[in-house]
Amino acid sequence: MNKISYLKSVKVIDNGKRKIVLKKENHTIHEVYNLLENRKFEYYLNPIYRDNDYEIYPYIKEIDISKSDKSIDLIHIMSLLHNKTTSYEEISLDEIKKIYEDIINEINMKYEYYLKLQDEYEQHINMTPKELLLMKNISKIYYMLKLSRDNIELFYKNIETENHIRKVQIHGNLSLSHILESEDKYIISWGNSRKDFPIVDLVNFYKNNYNDIDIKSLYEEYNRKYQLNNIEKHLFFSLINIPKYIVEKNDYYLDTLEVKKIVDYLNKTIEFTLEQNKENQETDK
């Protein structure tokens, strides 16, 4: 009798002799697989069977490995993916302006959002723990948004004279949960893969795993394998310095924990950004 277990959006089927992974068919992902195969990128799983409804993949039993080692492996594989799929594409002033305006609009929306929260919380005689924690750190959020704005302005200033820009095939949602480590290594969940700026993978990886990784050493390691230019660096630091919205759960403990995560993120990100800015300035000199 088959034993079926569920893991997020997939089914793991065990008949006692063999395990397989069953997923719904993704009709576009095979174009990505064909590209990866043509570029001789080997760190992905091809289905062993597929039809119009489902795909079947081999079940990979993972070895026990630390998050630190896993993150290094992921950075190496990501840089290899970007190296193998790099192209230089024409970019118009309209495209550049849209990138710039989209990020500026997001910065402004986040600023207005947190300003409104601040005004609301300051009207409360007795603040909740969540509100107290946010108010204690609200100036850091505004400073983070300033860092984001400074970097996108530098991005816009430097890219205006460029006719071509570097793009790669990105994974689109990189996290430690999307690398399988066994005798071989595999990146899974390619549903968001597309052509884009290389820093998009780096931004996603950081935002998904900032609490589990040493971003400074991983960023340096990535740059040793795939050197970012100044335009890409400014875009990267602009994007990581945009805080997320607070997801309200109407529970004192969970809401406080949500704000604590945001505070941890901004503390780590501001420190990393300032440290990297200092190193870049020394390098420029």
Side-chain angles (χ1 to χ4, degrees), residues 222-243:
Y222 176 85
N223 273 279
R224 277 192 285 271
K225 303 285 185 179
Y226 192 87
Q227 181 66 50
L228 295 175
N229 59 42
N230 285 335
I231 291 171
E232 292 162 341
K233 288 177 181 179
H234 289 313
L235 185 57
F236 170 73
F237 283 104
S238 179
L239 290 172
I240 67 169
N241 276 285
I242 300 177

Side-chain angles (χ1 to χ4, degrees), residues 17 42 51 56 61 69 113 137 148 172 205 207 221-222 228 233 249 273:
K17 296 180 180 179
E42 301 175 349
D51 57 27
I56 296 177
K61 184 177 181 181
D69 288 340
Y113 169 77
N137 292 277
S148 179
F205 179 47
K207 288 192 171 185
E221 183 64 21
Y222 176 85
L228 295 175
K233 288 177 181 179
K249 297 180 174 63
T273 303

Side-chain angles (χ1 to χ4, degrees), residues 124-221:
H124 298 171
I125 297 174
N126 296 310
M127 293 187 190
T128 65
K130 171 196 73 175
E131 294 169 350
L132 285 169
L133 183 59
L134 185 64
M135 289 302 94
K136 183 179 179 181
N137 292 277
I138 196 69
S139 62
K140 293 180 182 178
I141 290 178
Y142 298 143
Y143 182 60
M144 176 183 256
L145 289 168
K146 179 185 180 301
L147 290 174
S148 179
R149 186 182 294 274
D150 290 345
N151 274 282
I152 198 59
E153 293 292 352
L154 288 169
F155 163 83
Y156 192 52
K157 177 182 177 181
N158 289 322
I159 202 175
E160 280 186 301
T161 58
E162 296 291 326
N163 296 322
H164 293 76
I165 195 153
R166 186 164 63 169
K167 287 194 174 182
V168 300
Q169 189 72 26
I170 66 165
H171 176 272
N173 188 24
L174 272 181
S175 73
L176 290 177
S177 62
H178 290 154
I179 178 172
L180 302 180
E181 300 259 9
S182 60
E183 292 181 357
D184 298 307
K185 302 175 181 67
Y186 303 98
I187 304 297
I188 60 172
S189 301
W190 291 84
N192 293 320
S193 183
R194 63 188 184 277
K195 274 282 184 180
D196 212 327
F197 298 105
I199 58 95
V200 174
D201 270 340
L202 205 56
V203 169
N204 285 332
F205 179 47
Y206 178 59
K207 288 192 171 185
N208 287 334
N209 300 104
Y210 69 92
N211 215 28
D212 298 316
I213 62 176
D214 176 6
I215 182 58
K216 183 179 184 296
S217 62
L218 293 173
Y219 178 77
E220 291 172 350
E221 183 64 21

Side-chain angles (χ1 to χ4, degrees), residues 244-277:
K244 67 176 186 176
Y245 293 108
I246 298 173
V247 180
E248 300 279 358
K249 297 180 174 63
N250 296 318
D251 179 286
Y252 281 154
Y253 174 75
L254 294 178
D255 286 346
T256 305
L257 187 61
E258 176 72 9
V259 174
K260 175 66 165 53
K261 290 178 182 177
I262 291 174
V263 170
D264 289 344
Y265 179 84
L266 69 89
N267 283 333
K268 186 168 187 176
T269 305
I270 289 173
E271 180 183 2
F272 169 53
T273 303
L274 294 178
E275 186 177 68
Q276 197 60 44
N277 284 348

Side-chain angles (χ1 to χ4, degrees), residues 61-73:
K61 184 177 181 181
E62 291 193 81
I63 59 175
D64 187 21
I65 185 170
S66 69
K67 289 181 178 178
S68 175
D69 288 340
K70 207 169 191 179
S71 63
I72 292 172
D73 287 341

Side-chain angles (χ1 to χ4, degrees), residues 104-121:
I104 287 293
N105 286 338
E106 187 175 357
I107 292 170
N108 289 338
M109 286 186 340
K110 291 292 173 64
Y111 182 83
E112 293 297 326
Y113 169 77
Y114 279 103
L115 190 61
K116 184 178 178 181
L117 278 184
Q118 181 180 6
D119 290 341
E120 176 188 334
Y121 292 172

